[in-house]
């Protein structure tokens, strides 16, 4: 969804439709928050079930540690969702300095805070560094967006003909922008539809990859019945079914 927001922002900035970029960001934030709800519920309330897919029930310490991590981090999925959508606009506008500043602040802050908190709180301190880094990075991304750095990057390049071409494109888009402004109620709907179509396309690719991954994983788990491993030539032979 963040990549869809980035492409959406780049296309509309190129057409000079800044209002549509704002509407697209609002729509993508709403979609991201809605998508974050089931993941939060699954990880916060059903963490043991989710973790049991990857570890044995006998791993008590690992299970409790994993559940602690999920219950600390999952409520802040809503915060990082907002950051990822705003970052999509920054990337689409070419404001990479602002995007990298917020992203690296998150990464560096998590490492530093984990180093500081771990002697005080143990493993809990490492997990606490995640939401703090996310919150600070999200605030930075929103500040950069509010300051309008993405608008300053709408026209790139220093050549006069490139600027003239972009300006002519903006003039041609003026009528569309005016009509779009006259129908503010349709802004979020149109943006949500376009973003949804792009996201569905990407989801199909992800689902296809997941099908292959799950087939491989379940084949390995059931390797006695499904996969024959030849130790002499290290070749795998698939199922007959």
């Amino acid at each position: 969804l963040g990549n869809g927001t980035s492409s959406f922002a780049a296309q509309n900035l190129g057409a000079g439709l800044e209002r549509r970029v704002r509407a697209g960001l609002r729509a993508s934030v709403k979609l991201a928050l809605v998508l974050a709800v089931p993941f939060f519920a699954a990880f916060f309330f059903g963490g043991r079930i989710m973790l049991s897919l990857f570890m044995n029930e006998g791993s008590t310490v690992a299970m409790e540690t994993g559940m602690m991590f999920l219950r600390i981090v999952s409520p802040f999925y809503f915060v990082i969702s907002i950051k990822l959508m705003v970052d999509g606009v920054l990337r689409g506008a070419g404001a990479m300095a602002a995007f990298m500043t917020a992203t690296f602040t998150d990464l560096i802050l998590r490492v530093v805070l984990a180093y500081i908190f771990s002697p005080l709180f143990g493993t809990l301190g490492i997990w606490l560094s995640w939401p703090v880094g996310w919150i600070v990075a999200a605030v930075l991304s929103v500040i950069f967006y509010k300051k309008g750095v993405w608008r300053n990057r709408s026209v790139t390049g220093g050549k006069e003909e490139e600027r003239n071409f972009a300006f002519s494109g903006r003039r041609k888009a003026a009528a569309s922008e005016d009509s779009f402004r006259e129908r503010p109620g349709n802004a979020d709907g149109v943006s949500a539809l376009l973003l949804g179509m792009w996201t569905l396309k990407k989801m199909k690719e992800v689902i296809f990859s997941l099908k292959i991954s799950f087939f491989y994983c379940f084949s390995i788990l059931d390797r006695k019945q499904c996969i024959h491993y030849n130790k002499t030539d290290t070749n795998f032979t698939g199922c007959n079914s």
Side-chain angles (χ1 to χ4, degrees):
L1 191 56
N3 291 334
T5 304
S6 179
S7 300
F8 185 84
Q11 293 171 358
N12 284 279
L13 283 174
L17 301 175
E18 293 183 0
R19 177 181 172 83
R20 187 166 291 182
V21 175
R22 299 189 188 94
L25 177 61
R26 290 194 299 270
S28 64
V29 168
K30 293 175 183 177
L31 289 173
L33 293 177
V34 170
L35 289 173
V37 172
F39 287 100
F40 160 72
F43 293 139
F44 190 84
F45 299 105
R48 184 177 297 274
I49 298 175
M50 303 299 293
L51 290 172
S52 64
L53 298 174
F54 304 97
M55 62 179 64
N56 299 325
E57 289 293 337
S59 306
T60 305
V61 177
M63 180 69 71
E64 295 300 325
T65 304
M67 290 181 62
M68 180 193 305
F69 170 75
L70 291 178
R71 287 175 178 172
I72 291 174
V73 172
S74 58
F76 295 91
Y77 283 169
F78 302 98
V79 176
I80 197 63
S81 295
I82 296 174
K83 180 192 182 305
L84 293 176
M85 298 307 104
V86 177
D87 285 349
V89 174
L90 297 178
R91 290 198 311 271
M96 295 305 296
F99 165 69
M100 295 300 290
T101 299
T103 301
F104 275 102
T105 298
D106 172 29
L107 298 177
I108 295 173
L109 193 58
R110 271 192 275 171
V111 174
V112 173
L113 291 178
Y115 180 79
I116 296 174
F117 289 164
S118 56
L120 300 175
F121 307 105
T123 307
L124 176 64
I126 300 176
W127 309 148
L128 290 175
S129 66
W130 285 59
V132 176
W134 284 355
I135 292 172
V136 173
V139 170
L140 285 176
S141 294
V142 172
I143 289 176
F144 287 135
Y145 173 80
K146 291 293 186 180
K147 288 180 64 177
V149 296
W150 58 278
R151 292 200 304 270
N152 299 335
R153 302 290 298 179
S154 297
V155 180
T156 58
K159 296 181 180 180
E160 185 66 25
E161 56 269 22
E162 291 180 353
R163 291 196 297 269
N164 292 336
F165 178 79
F167 179 73
S168 63
R170 287 168 180 253
R171 288 202 309 174
K172 292 178 181 179
S176 177
E177 174 70 8
D178 292 339
S179 62
F180 187 78
R181 186 179 293 111
E182 292 173 359
R183 301 189 302 275
N186 296 334
D188 288 350
V190 173
S191 302
L193 178 61
L194 294 175
L195 284 169
M197 293 173 61
W198 195 95
T199 304
L200 286 175
K201 178 182 177 182
K202 289 297 178 182
M203 285 178 65
K204 289 181 180 179
E205 299 175 1
V206 172
I207 292 173
F208 178 75
S209 301
L210 287 175
K211 286 181 178 179
I212 297 177
S213 301
F214 278 121
F215 175 79
Y216 178 77
C217 291
F218 286 123
S219 297
I220 293 297
L221 292 174
D222 198 24
R223 58 186 178 276
K224 291 184 179 180
Q225 300 178 11
C226 186
I227 292 182
H228 171 69
Y229 180 66
N230 189 334
K231 294 183 178 180
T232 58
D233 57 5
T234 66
N235 289 325
F236 285 97
T237 304
C239 307
N240 293 327
S241 58

